[in-house]
Amino acid sequence: MSSHMSVAIRSATESETFDLAGSSASTIETTVRSAFSEPLELQEMIRITFVTGAGKLARQRYDEDAARILTSTLRDLGYVEDRGASCVNECAGSFKLQHDTGKN
C-alpha cells in the first residue's frame, strides 16, 4: 500500500485526501518519506489531507500514533508546522495539523 499511496500523492494535480486506516506505523513513515522527500512538481498549490484517526466507531482502524508519525516524518524531511497554512505559495514546505470534531 505504501508504494501505491506515495505514487498517488506524487501524481496529485489537485487537492486530495488520503485515508491512513489500516496503515502500520512503518507503512506511514515509508509512504511519507517516499512521497515528500522531493518537492512536488506542480503549477499551483494543492492541499494533501491525511485522515489519521476516527471517532469511537472506527478508531480501531487507525494506528494510535498515526498523526505523530506523519508529522514527525514531515519534520524530518524539513517541513515546518504552520497552524495558519493555506494553499498559497508562501506556505510551500509547511503542514497544518487539524482535529475535525464535526465527524464521528
Side-chain angles (χ1 to χ4, degrees), residues 51-70:
V51 178
T52 60
K56 62 184 174 185
L57 300 177
R59 187 172 294 143
Q60 68 279 1
R61 297 185 320 163
Y62 295 88
D63 187 294
E64 64 183 34
D65 291 325
R68 182 188 60 77
I69 293 161
L70 175 66

Side-chain angles (χ1 to χ4, degrees), residues 2-63:
S2 158
S3 174
H4 173 66
M5 187 180 292
S6 61
V7 168
I9 293 166
R10 293 214 49 89
S11 300
T13 57
E14 57 188 41
S15 295
E16 292 196 40
T17 298
F18 296 91
D19 192 344
L20 297 177
S23 297
S24 68
S26 62
T27 298
I28 294 168
E29 182 177 359
T30 301
T31 299
V32 173
R33 286 193 186 281
S34 179
F36 297 107
S37 60
E38 296 291 326
L40 299 175
E41 295 182 24
L42 298 167
Q43 299 301 313
E44 59 186 35
M45 294 297 288
I46 64 171
R47 175 182 297 116
I48 301 295
T49 302
F50 292 97
V51 178
T52 60
K56 62 184 174 185
L57 300 177
R59 187 172 294 143
Q60 68 279 1
R61 297 185 320 163
Y62 295 88
D63 187 294

